[in-house]
Amino acid sequence: MDPVANPYRPGAGRRPPLLAGREQLLASFDVLRRMAEEHGEGDRGWILNGLRGVGKTVLLNDFMRQVSNRGWIAAKVEAGAGTSLPVALNHSLVAALRTATGRHPEPRLRRLLGIFKAFSLTVDQAGTLSLGVDVQPIAGVADSGRLGEDLAALFEALGDTARDLGIGVLLLIDELQEASPEDLAAINSAVHRVGQSDIPAPLILVGAGLPSLPAQLAEATSYAERLYDYRPVGLLDDDSARQALVIPSAGGGATWDSSGLDVAVATAGGYPYFIQAIGKHVWDNARSTQIGPEDVEVGLAEAQREVDDGLYRSRWERATPAQRDLLRSLAAIGGERAVAVAEIVKAMGKVRTSDISVSRNELIKKGLVYAPERGLLAFTVPGMHAFISRQP
Ligand SMILES: Nc1ncnc2c1ncn2[C@@H]1O[C@H](COP(=O)(O)OP(=O)(O)OP(=O)(O)O)[C@@H](O)[C@H]1O
Ligand SMILES: [Mg+2]
């Protein structure tokens, strides 16, 4: 079928034609949004934690789109992308406030802009900041230089203004596991303080990251467990995977024959990125709008190649021979599951945990594996174990 009309979107952060299996999460987000708009009130922030390629970024983008259409002050940043988190937040908020001043009567934003300017000059002395209006910094609110306190004051000022305007504030931080422990502690402490007001500011903070994120947050400040609503983002169940494949095709006038679809769903294993790759290649290879088992077979092989080359191989090649031995053991014993390090030690014919700790730590640093709990190890990417078992 015509590749130009292909609806599927394999990749990173690309909006899928159908956001399948996330109905509950989206409904809960809608409750938060309405609380902010109708009652001027916020709730606990969210942490979306999940493996690579399950759809965390896509969810953040969806939240962003929803509230941007409604005039909210909304900012999105990615931790660890070269700039420090406070500076990145600062830049993103500049853009959000610029949009807000175009949409809302500026006098009502004036105090916020002044506070923001003082904050901004504190976190980013080198930065060139332009809010597009003649703004005088307001000293003494969010410019102490202690990030946690300044962020809390800024969140409160943002919340007050938003409440006044009948909107909310949305702050999205992607790849939050990359933030430094100091930045995580500052964010936690700001969120903690804002949450203690009688009427919490109508500010929604959503952080997304790998499954190790909850533990990192808890390590940064002990009260983090109760500070956020943790929303694990997982693989899709078969029904959702089926919908993710079938509905976009139907939109383009094509139908899947049921036996081919069953094979596709079973192969995808509920992995959103793989589902998009399968949809894309099956579509491109289908000879007519009646997608049959042979079309699926050809498409699956190409999708597997795309995912192997685009996701698994580069990770595998980053590992040294000693690290690959460890990965092979992890794949053989656990597959998709987490495995006790002690078991891996035994399988590798070693004696002590310390015999593999260098490889283990390097692999964690390279982002190939993570420790879901102390003493355990698991892959950060779904399907990595199957790729490894195919390697000679
Ligand atoms: N609910 C969904 N239904 C169908 N496809 C989805 C869904 N969520 C995400 N996808 C697709 O999965 C792929 C990965 O999505 P995304 O980049 O958001 O994952 P991620 O969790 O942010 O990954 P990473 O941890 O690597 O940043 C994209 O191609 C996207 O279109
Ligand atoms: Mg992402």
Side-chain angles (χ1 to χ4, degrees):
M1 287 190 287
D2 183 7
V4 174
N6 197 318
Y8 301 96
R9 297 286 179 270
R14 297 180 73 199
R15 185 185 190 180
L18 177 79
L19 192 55
R22 309 294 186 215
E23 296 79 9
Q24 260 188 335
L25 196 67
L26 293 173
S28 307
F29 183 77
D30 214 49
V31 172
L32 285 187
R33 177 189 65 69
R34 286 187 42 214
M35 261 176 76
E37 288 179 2
E38 296 167 24
H39 298 281
E41 195 173 334
D43 202 344
R44 281 192 300 178
W46 282 8
I47 297 297
L48 306 181
N49 51 307
L51 299 174
R52 291 261 167 234
V54 292
K56 303 178 295 294
T57 299
V58 151
L59 280 165
L60 295 186
N61 291 342
D62 197 78
F63 299 159
M64 184 77 169
R65 195 163 23 241
Q66 286 189 41
V67 303
S68 299
N69 289 337
R70 308 177 67 89
W72 281 41
I73 299 171
K76 181 174 171 226
V77 298
E78 193 178 307
T83 24
S84 87
L85 190 55
V87 172
L89 252 178
N90 181 39
H91 283 186
S92 177
L93 277 167
V94 169
L97 287 175
R98 250 202 230 115
T99 313
T101 45
R103 283 186 123 152
H104 302 285
E106 199 233 282
R108 306 181 77 172
L109 286 163
R110 187 150 277 278
R111 179 165 179 275
L112 174 62
L113 292 171
I115 292 171
F116 181 75
K117 184 146 190 179
F119 168 80
S120 184
L121 291 169
T122 311
V123 296
D124 189 11
Q125 279 143 5
T128 46
L129 173 79
S130 166
L131 284 163
V133 283
D134 173 27
V135 179
Q136 289 306 313
I138 295 177
V141 181
D143 58 355
S144 71
R146 290 179 296 276
L147 186 59
E149 285 170 36
D150 291 350
L151 275 180
L154 188 67
F155 287 177
E156 272 160 6
L158 279 164
D160 287 344
T161 308
R163 189 183 287 131
D164 215 34
L165 294 168
I167 55 172
V169 180
L170 181 68
L171 294 180
L172 304 171
I173 312 181
D174 205 356
E175 302 286 347
L176 188 52
Q177 80 283 342
E178 296 293 328
S180 68
E182 297 75 36
D183 286 349
L184 290 180
I187 290 170
N188 285 350
S189 115
V191 168
H192 189 63
R193 224 180 87 183
V194 171
Q196 288 172 38
S197 325
D198 289 341
I199 306 174
L203 176 140
I204 308 177
L205 184 130
V206 186
L210 292 180
S212 54
L213 180 56
Q216 285 172 270
L217 286 163
E219 226 158 275
T221 48
S222 59
Y223 51 76
E225 279 106 337
R226 286 156 290 140
L227 205 52
Y228 301 101
D229 199 348
Y230 291 90
R231 303 278 178 145
V233 180
L235 301 175
L236 302 183
D237 61 28
D238 281 359
D239 278 346
S240 302
R242 215 174 281 276
Q243 288 178 354
L245 287 170
V246 169
I247 293 176
S249 285
T255 51
W256 293 62
D257 127 287
S258 72
S259 66
L261 180 61
D262 287 346
V263 176
V265 168
T267 309
Y271 185 27
Y273 169 45
F274 200 13
I275 290 172
Q276 295 304 320
I278 290 172
K280 173 174 190 283
H281 290 287
V282 169
W283 173 288
D284 282 353
N285 285 288
R287 292 153 300 173
S288 79
T289 54
Q290 307 288 312
I291 300 170
E294 305 80 38
D295 300 321
V296 170
E297 200 185 315
V298 178
L300 280 179
E302 285 192 18
Q304 187 71 66
R305 208 170 310 131
E306 166 163 350
V307 176
D308 280 0
D309 293 343
L311 189 65
Y312 303 126
R313 197 175 318 283
S314 64
R315 290 187 155 72
W316 182 240
E317 284 172 356
R318 256 184 281 156
T320 64
Q323 292 163 7
R324 286 185 190 178
D325 286 344
L326 192 162
L327 293 175
R328 278 188 203 279
S329 298
L330 176 59
I333 305 169
E336 210 82 87
R337 282 184 311 109
V339 172
V341 174
E343 256 190 278
I344 301 174
V345 170
K346 211 162 82 191
M348 291 175 73
K350 308 277 185 192
V351 184
R352 282 171 303 270
T353 311
S354 57
D355 295 338
I356 66 163
S357 59
V358 173
S359 292
R360 173 193 170 274
N361 295 343
E362 280 299 310
L363 286 169
I364 290 178
K365 223 183 281 165
K366 288 176 182 174
L368 273 84
V369 300
Y370 73 103
E373 278 172 50
R374 199 174 269 282
L376 294 183
L377 219 52
F379 289 110
T380 54
V381 188
M384 187 75 199
H385 66 98
F387 173 84
I388 290 174
S389 67
R390 291 197 298 274
Q391 301 314 300

